[in-house]
């Protein structure tokens, strides 16, 4: 699809208007010419939708926003749902199905709106237990049974994310044996932000290598999602982590802004804004945010939930960190210093250690050191 923004016109804009009007984000308009036009009202409605869905709030309908808009036009029961390997089905109806199955005790995985193999397995089990045809297709009979069980007593809780927390608890405080995928952003011909003689892809790659070395020294298995001359898609990066059976996924980026005054560090995790969030992802994002801000002095731009594909398609808890603005002279100067990148790498490592410590023998933010981590690992090994 073509990217749509203010000033564009045509039947594809009319489709966007229709979806937004159906969600009461845009009032209906009279006249075919105006209905086919991407005007200020459409841009504002798109921004409102993006903010609601945890997308980048730019008022532009790109692939991610279009896919989310199309998905929002479906409700559970509006179409049959099944697992298709070649073209995964996604939408709000899939999200609702996943939530209902999970609430009823069937493990459909993280509610992400994608009908994958885990959702199919949970659906087949539900159908079997309800003495329906166990075909993995969510059709009228299955919908009726789901609605029949939709009572207030059957709803509520966050079982998927409680499982995440329990997995961390059972994994224990030691880092040895943990498998971490480090994802340096961009790569290859995709340089990311280029400013002040620095390239985001190079910064992310160097930082990933520094983090990899420290993680391996603690006994962790650190895997980097790409080579120096390769730029996988977000889906490919997520698939790499899934195939590796990763415990955590850490994506490293730097930011940019038209204003040179924009600066600081921000961390992101999976969340929809309606209460659905990755508990462990949110916890790790908070640890990383506090450690990096405390150790580097970068402005703390806090943590945020997003529904980016890198989060929805990664099965393990995932965090993306935007470390500094290359368009800010002070941030850029610091990111260009290898010693500064060492500090960032140590901060991220300490944050991962804090996640697995779960409060055991913890120390104030910014004070735990790499030597402390190694000593703790050695003590636990004895």
């Amino acid at each position: 699809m073509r990217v749509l923004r203010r000033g564009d016109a045509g039947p594809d804009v009319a489709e966007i208007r229709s979806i937004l009007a159906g969600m009461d984000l845009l009032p209906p308009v009279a006249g075919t010419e105006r209905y086919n036009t991407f005007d200020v009202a459409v841009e504002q409605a798109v921004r409102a939708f993006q903010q609601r869905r945890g997308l980048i709030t730019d008022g532009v309908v790109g692939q991610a926003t279009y896919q989310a808009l199309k998905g929002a036009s479906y409700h559970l029961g509006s179409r049959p749902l099944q697992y298709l390997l070649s073209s995964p089905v996604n939408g709000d109806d899939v999200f609702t199905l996943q939530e209902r199955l999970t609430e009823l005790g069937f493990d459909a995985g993280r509610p992400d709106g994608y009908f994958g193999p885990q959702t199919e397995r949970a659906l087949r089990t539900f159908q079997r237990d309800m003495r329906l045809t166990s075909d993995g297709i969510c059709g009228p009979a299955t919908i009726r049974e789901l609605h029949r069980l939709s009572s207030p007593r059957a709803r509520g809780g966050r079982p998927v994310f409680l499982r995440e927390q329990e997995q961390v608890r059972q994994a224990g405080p030691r880092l040895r044996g943990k498998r971490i995928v480090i994802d340096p952003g961009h790569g290859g011909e995709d340089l990311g932000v280029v400013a002040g003689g620095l390239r985001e892809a190079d910064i992310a790659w160097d930082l990933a290598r520094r983090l990899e070395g420290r993680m391996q020294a603690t006994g962790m298995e650190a895997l980097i999602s790409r080579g120096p001359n390769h730029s996988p898609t977000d889906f490919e990066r997520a698939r790499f982590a899934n195939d590796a059976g990763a415990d955590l996924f850490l994506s490293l980026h730097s930011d940019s802004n038209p204003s040179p005054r924009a600066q600081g560090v921000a961390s992101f995790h999976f969340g929809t804004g309606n209460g659905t969030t990755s508990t462990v992802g949110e916890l790790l994002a908070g640890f990383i945010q506090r450690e990096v801000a405390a150790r580097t002095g970068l402005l703390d731009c806090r943590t945020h939930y997003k529904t980016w594909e890198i989060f929805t398609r990664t099965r393990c808890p995932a965090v993306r960190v935007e470390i500094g603005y290359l368009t800010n002279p002070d941030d850029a100067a610091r990111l260009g210093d290898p010693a500064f990148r060492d500090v960032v790498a140590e901060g991220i490592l300490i944050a991962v250690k804090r996640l697995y410590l779960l409060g055991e023998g913890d120390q104030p933010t910014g004070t735990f050191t790499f030597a402390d981590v190694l000593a703790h690992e050695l003590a636990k090994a004895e």
Side-chain angles (χ1 to χ4, degrees), residues 97-107 126 129-130 142 145-151 153-156 159 163:
L97 172 64
Q98 291 168 328
E99 284 200 319
R100 290 297 298 121
L101 288 171
T102 301
E103 288 164 355
L104 293 169
F106 301 91
D107 186 6
F126 170 79
D129 290 358
M130 297 299 109
T142 301
E145 198 65 18
L146 286 167
H147 286 328
R148 185 180 70 82
L149 296 173
S150 295
S151 69
R153 289 174 298 175
R155 303 189 68 84
R163 290 192 195 104

Side-chain angles (χ1 to χ4, degrees), residues 3 117 124 154 171 186 194-195 220 230 251 255 270 272 281 301 334 336 353 364 368:
V3 175
R124 285 182 181 273
H186 308 281
V194 179
M220 283 191 282
H230 184 213
S251 189
D255 216 332
F270 172 76
T272 63
C301 297
R334 302 181 78 184
K353 180 62 174 177
F368 212 35

Side-chain angles (χ1 to χ4, degrees), residues 53-66:
R53 291 304 177 106
L55 299 167
I56 296 175
T57 311
D58 56 8
V60 176
V61 180
Q63 182 62 39
T65 298
Y66 178 75

Side-chain angles (χ1 to χ4, degrees), residues 34-52:
R34 187 180 172 193
Y35 193 72
N36 291 344
T37 303
F38 197 124
D39 56 19
V40 174
V42 175
E43 182 182 66
Q44 291 174 343
V46 169
R47 287 181 181 274
F49 174 79
Q50 290 170 326
Q51 186 174 38
R52 179 188 297 178

